[in-house]
């Protein structure tokens, strides 16, 4: 709050209150109607209303308004001067009103009033000049340094200047060089020159003689001098401060600049506020040595700053909104007043004052302090603080949020075919397919008063909801909403999930935020239709139902396609979207007759994601409903196995190559988009350069060549833009394919027999859905997480791995290495599969070892069967472990390994950078002779502080298939 204010002395509201006022709508001048007259205040609005005020006292009176009339066109500017030579009195000024297509010159006449009504003014049209172009602004002066007459110059929107003299002579001219933009043009009488602000933000000076003779001689001319301003300007004035020079005062967007009439900069004042208008004037006479240059600048925060040249001498605050025009005037009874006009037509005559705000301090309520009441209020405040910040029991907070807002969300399992594609604005290529849709129902009930509530429905990529958002403000208690929803395909993409999530975020009246979430699943019949099962496929996955509460039948998981009592063991499903004509995407689900296994097979990766989601989620839901296990979302401890395998377990197989192929195609498309964008940027720069050259050419120069170049460049630009649009469409489709591929890997890893901590870490790194940004692709955002798992995380190659190679490799690479990312991505899946396989083999070996150690004294077993079983077990063990005793001991030690990924040596798998450092590290040949236990201990001591070495105990070199499928292991 400023101590100094602009005090209001006289104020009036103009007749036009629509807000059509600007800096050219205010004029303070004298018409010479009487001997000792003061300044008149003329206001003209852009709606055409003209008003003339003459304040008499410090309060507005009806007699202060001398004239109010409505013109036929908007008023662009008001000017006063000796525009006509037919006036007898040399001291009388005429009023010039600038209209869009004409300028009207009026004589102002006085009509004496009768009784107490006062005098009035009357306008008499002296001359009117029509324009062929639309006007922008006007400047006046003694052009050619004539005496006793004033000419005026009209600036048009196309930059053309039209000069008018009193005897009716008029002519036009254009500025040379670049095409002119509408900007203020001012006249300096001392040098008989015009100052013009060009489109390149330069202030240029032209002499009146060059401008006046340019039309006659047809000769080209250049500015006398040019000075770079460097920013756009708001207004410009010429003030003569000395006999030897005049000052050009320029109000820029962020600076206040002063130059002399020779182009020399006097000062540049950087403003720390956004200016709106200004007024410069001289205190004293310019021929006197003590004349002072004063400038008043108005900011957008309604503050007035007074400067003497570049030094601030005063600052004051307005109590009204910031004005759009300001002038200094001498009204009756108040010399040196400040006249301001607001955007709404509020006309004010004020002065600078130093009186602070008059306010009265409210009396204090001296009441007796009640400690009991104060303690009660303190307890209430503490309870509010604890309620808003206490997060120790999240379950209680979530239950409290669910009680405050009751949310019910469900999706019907039946599909619909009566979707209104026109009402929902479904694209034509999707509507032609006539894809089925699903209906949902959402019910919302607010139990307590809320400040704000927002509901968002998140659907998978390619699926759209008829209403996906809902916002409410100041929600009273008891408010309810029931919304019927339609879910339909909006894009022909591969969908990776059927899960639809609803998020409700709300703020209580105390400002406490809470979020609740619910989810439901779309029916599979919306995306698949039944077809003939396939007998063979390229990708085969196997799931084993280990829960006793889930019957391993197909109708348990795919009730939309099978009847309740159906005993079908094979089901074929054809993908409906995107519905390619030349490609039929079919997936087959087979249930084993004599076991709890499910075989899912297909030739296309995109068909698996939603099927695996249905199988896993249905199994977990049915088992949880039976009350067997509860999947707590707490941080798992080290060594705890994945609790999902107690319900369903997946065979350790991940289709690595199809997933990598989708990633390769997606990354290649991202690179094409970047190259296409760079090419468009180059073409756009060429287009702008050609346009600039066309603007800089004069009218006399030929323009056909440049025009042809611009047209060719424009056609090329449009063609490349269409290519970019097509590439982005391909990117969207490939992003959907990559979503399905990554989701397939996540659902397989989710049911593998691994450590639960490892499963959670890997699933958190594999982000779905895939997101691409302008400067960062999905592969680049995934690379740090994959790289950390490769070197530091639970999937590092061994405990003894040093971080020196990683730091050296990353420190010298600035660009993204997709080859390294792809190698690490493939290695991640390979390690997961081998770890899950080793865990399964360890469990099988442990069971066989326990079976061998059991006593064989059961009398119910026949001797022949017992001997035969022992012979089979011994034979299988010998074939698996070999005949060597030391080898047997070494192999039997494997089941003691934990399922943690850190406990599994990857047989020293190295990437290309590691191979350059280490070279050949593996030896093939027999082990040393001696006792097996001592031999093993010696080997452990020798390899304790270095990388473990793999030795082929079976005297066999690796096969070609093993060598090329796992090069890092056998090297």
């Amino acid at each position: 709050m400023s101590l100094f204010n602009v005090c209001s002395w006289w104020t009036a509201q103009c007749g036009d209150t629509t807000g059509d006022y600007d800096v050219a709508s205010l004029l303070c001048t004298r018409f010479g109607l009487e001997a000792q007259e003061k300044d008149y205040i003329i206001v003209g609005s852009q709606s055409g209303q003209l008003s003339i005020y003459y304040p008499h006292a410090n309060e507005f009176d009806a007699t202060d308004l001398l004239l109010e009339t409505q013109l036929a066109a908007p008023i662009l500017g008001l000017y006063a001067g000796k525009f006509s030579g037919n006036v007898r009195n040399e001291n009388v000024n005429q009023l010039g009103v600038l209209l869009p297509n004409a300028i009207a010159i009026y004589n102002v006449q006085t009509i004496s009033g009768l009784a107490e009504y006062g005098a009035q003014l009357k306008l008499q049209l002296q001359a009117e000049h029509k324009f062929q172009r639309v006007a922008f602004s006007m400047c006046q002066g003694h052009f050619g340094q004539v005496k006793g007459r004033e000419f005026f110059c009209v600036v048009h929107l196309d930059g053309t200047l039209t000069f008018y003299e009193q005897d009716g002579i008029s002519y036009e001219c254009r500025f040379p060089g670049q095409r002119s933009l509408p900007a203020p043009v001012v006249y300096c009488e001392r040098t008989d020159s015009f100052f013009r602000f060009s489109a390149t933000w330069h202030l240029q000076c032209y002499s009146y003689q060059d401008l006046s003779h340019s039309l006659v001689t047809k000769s080209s001319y250049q500015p006398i001098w040019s000075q770079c301003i460097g920013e756009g300007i708001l207004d410009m004035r010429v003030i003569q401060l000395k006999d030897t020079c005049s000052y050009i005062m320029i109000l820029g967007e962020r600076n206040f600049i002063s130059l002399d009439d020779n182009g020399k900069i006097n000062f540049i004042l950087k403003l720390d506020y956004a200016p709106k208008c200004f007024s410069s004037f001289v205190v004293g006479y310019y021929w006197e040595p003590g004349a002072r240059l004063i400038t008043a600048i108005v900011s957008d925060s309604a503050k007035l700053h007074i400067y003497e040249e570049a030094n601030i001498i005063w600052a004051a605050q307005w109590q009204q909104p910031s004005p759009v025009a300001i002038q200094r005037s001498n009204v009756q009874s108040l010399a040196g007043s400040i006249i301001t006009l607001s955007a709404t037509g509020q006309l004010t005559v004020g002065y600078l004052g130093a009186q602070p705000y008059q306010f009265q301090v409210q009396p204090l309520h001296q009441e007796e302090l009640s400690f009991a009441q104060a303690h009660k209020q303190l307890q209430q405040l503490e309870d509010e603080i604890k309620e808003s910040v206490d997060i120790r029991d999240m379950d209680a907070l979530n239950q409290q949020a669910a009680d405050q807002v009751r949310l019910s969300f469900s999706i019907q399992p039946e599909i619909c075919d009566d979707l209104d594609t026109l009402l929902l604005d479904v694209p034509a290529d999707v509507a032609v397919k006539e894809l089925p849709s699903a209906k949902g129902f959402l019910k919302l009930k607010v139990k307590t008063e809320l400040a704000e509530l927002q509901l968002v429905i998140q659907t998978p990529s390619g699926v759209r909801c008829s209403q996906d958002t809902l916002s409410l403000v100041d929600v009273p208690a008891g408010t309810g909403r029931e919304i019927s929803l339609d879910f339909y395909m909006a894009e022909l993409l591969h969908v990776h999930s059927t899960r639809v999530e609803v998020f409700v975020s709300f703020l209580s009246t105390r400002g406490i935020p809470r979020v609740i979430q619910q989810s439901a699943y779309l029916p599979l019949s919306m995306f698949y239709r039944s077809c003939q099962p396939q007998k063979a496929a390229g990708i085969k996955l196997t799931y084993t139902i280990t829960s006793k509460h889930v019957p391993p039948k197909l109708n348990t998981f795919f009730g939309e396609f099978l009847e309740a009592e159906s005993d079908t063991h094979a089901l074929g499903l054809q993908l409906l979207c995107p519905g390619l004509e030349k490609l039929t995407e079919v997936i087959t689900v087979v249930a084993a007759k004599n076991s709890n296994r499910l075989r899912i097979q297909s030739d296309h990766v995109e068909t698996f994601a939603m099927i695996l989601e249905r199988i896993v989620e249905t199994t977990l839901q049915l088992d949880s409903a039976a009350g067997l296990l509860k999947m707590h979302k707490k941080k798992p401890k080290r060594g705890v196995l994945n609790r999902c395998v107690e319900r369903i377990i997946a065979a350790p197989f991940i289709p690595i190559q199809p997933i990598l192929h989708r990633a390769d195609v997606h990354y290649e498309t991202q690179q094409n988009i970047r190259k296409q964008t760079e090419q468009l940027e180059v073409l756009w720069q060429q287009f702008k350069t050609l346009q600039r050259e066309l603007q800089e050419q004069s009218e006399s120069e030929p323009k056909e060549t440049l025009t042809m170049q611009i047209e060719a460049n424009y056609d090329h630009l449009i063609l490349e833009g269409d290519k970019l649009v097509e590439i982005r469409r391909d990117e969207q489709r490939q992003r959907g394919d990559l979503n399905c591929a990554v989701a397939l890997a996540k659902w397989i890893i989710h049911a593998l027999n691994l450590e639960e901590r490892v499963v959670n870490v890997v699933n958190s790194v594999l982000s779905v859905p895939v997101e691409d940004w302008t400067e960062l692709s999905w592969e680049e955002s995934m690379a740090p997480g994959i790289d950390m798992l490769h070197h530091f995380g639970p999937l590092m190659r061994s405990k003894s791995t040093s971080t020196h190679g990683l730091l050296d490799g990353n420190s010298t690479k600035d660009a993204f290495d997709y080859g390294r990312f792809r190698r690490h991505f493939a290695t991640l899946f390979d390690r997961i599969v081998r770890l899950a396989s080793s865990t399964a083999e360890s469990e099988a070996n442990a069971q066989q070892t326990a079976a061998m150690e059991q006593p064989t004294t059961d009398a119910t077993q026949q001797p022949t069967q017992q001997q035969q079983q022992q012979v089979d077990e011994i034979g299988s063990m010998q074939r698996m472990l070999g005949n060597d005793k030391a080898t047997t001991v070494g192999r039997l030690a494997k089941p003691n390994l934990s399922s943690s990924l850190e406990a599994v040596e990857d047989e020293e798998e190295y990437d290309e950078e590691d191979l350059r450092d280490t070279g050949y590290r593996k030896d093939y040949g027999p082990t040393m002779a001696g006792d097996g236990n001592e031999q093993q201990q010696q080997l452990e001591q020798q390899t304790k502080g270095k990388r473990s070495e793999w030795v082929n105990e079976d005297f066999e070199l690796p096969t070609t298939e093993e060598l090329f499928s796992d090069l890092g292991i056998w090297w």
Side-chain angles (χ1 to χ4, degrees), residues 28-227:
C28 297
T29 186
R30 299 181 183 181
F31 294 111
L33 302 179
E34 54 187 20
Q36 307 212 352
E37 71 173 1
K38 299 297 183 180
D39 289 344
Y40 293 87
I41 303 175
I42 304 99
V43 178
S45 69
Q46 295 179 1
S47 61
Q49 188 176 62
L50 179 64
S51 304
I52 300 179
Y53 297 89
Y54 192 74
H56 293 83
N58 58 354
E59 291 184 1
F60 174 75
D61 189 77
T63 58
D64 295 341
L65 180 59
L66 302 183
L67 175 66
E68 189 171 33
T69 183
Q70 180 69 39
L71 302 183
I75 298 176
L76 303 182
L78 299 170
Y79 307 90
K82 299 177 175 60
F83 300 129
S84 177
N86 299 328
V87 181
R88 297 179 181 179
N89 191 352
E90 295 181 356
N91 297 324
V92 174
N93 292 329
Q94 287 84 40
L95 176 64
V97 180
L98 180 64
L99 305 177
N101 295 313
I103 179 171
I105 308 299
Y106 294 98
N107 287 330
V108 181
Q109 298 178 356
T110 305
I111 301 177
S112 301
L114 301 176
E116 70 276 5
Y117 291 106
Q120 296 181 0
L121 294 182
K122 177 183 177 182
L123 296 181
Q124 182 183 3
L125 183 61
Q126 180 71 23
E128 184 177 11
H129 303 280
K130 299 288 185 179
F131 305 146
Q132 296 180 357
R133 300 177 176 85
V134 180
F136 173 73
S137 64
M138 191 183 85
C139 66
Q140 64 186 78
H142 301 279
F143 302 163
Q145 295 182 346
V146 296
K147 301 299 182 181
R149 296 185 301 171
E150 282 190 81
F151 303 153
F152 54 90
C153 171
V154 178
V155 183
H156 300 279
L157 285 179
D158 59 353
T160 305
L161 302 182
T162 304
F163 293 89
Y164 292 92
E165 299 182 359
Q166 291 183 356
D167 48 7
I169 300 175
S170 64
Y171 53 91
E172 295 182 355
C173 70
R174 292 178 179 270
F175 287 112
Q178 298 176 352
R179 183 172 298 176
S180 301
L181 296 179
V185 175
V186 294
Y187 173 74
C188 178
E189 184 177 353
R190 197 190 75 86
T191 59
D192 193 24
S193 58
F194 289 86
F195 302 107
R196 166 240 187 178
F197 190 73
S198 67
T200 58
W201 289 351
H202 283 72
L203 182 66
Q204 299 175 347
C205 176
Y206 297 90
S207 66
Y208 175 71
Q209 184 178 3
D210 292 340
L211 293 177
S212 60
H213 293 294
S214 62
L215 187 63
V216 179
T217 61
K218 301 292 183 179
S219 60
S220 60
Y221 57 94
Q222 297 297 326
I224 300 175
W225 54 262
S226 179
Q227 185 65 256

Side-chain angles (χ1 to χ4, degrees), residues 10 135 173 232 271 273 290 402 428 549 603 659 678 705 834 843 869:
W10 180 91
C173 70
L271 306 177
Y273 52 86
H549 302 273
D603 293 326
I659 296 176
E678 293 175 358
T705 305
R834 288 191 292 106
E843 292 181 354
Q869 182 179 3

Side-chain angles (χ1 to χ4, degrees), residues 586-602:
V586 178
I587 185 171
T588 303
V589 184
V590 181
K593 296 181 180 180
N594 302 323
S595 63
N596 296 338
R597 294 185 178 181
L598 294 176
R599 168 70 59 89
I600 306 100
Q601 60 185 18
S602 177

Side-chain angles (χ1 to χ4, degrees), residues 754-755 757-759 762 789 793-799 828 831-836 838-839 898-906:
L754 299 172
E755 187 178 338
R757 180 175 62 92
V758 174
V759 174
V762 174
L789 286 179
L795 288 174
M796 63 182 179
R797 10 181 213 207
S798 66
K799 293 182 179 180
L828 169 68
R831 290 178 181 174
I832 291 173
V833 170
R834 288 191 292 106
L835 176 59
S838 64
T839 306
S898 171
S899 63
S900 172
L901 290 177
E902 297 173 348
V904 176
E905 295 292 342
D906 289 341

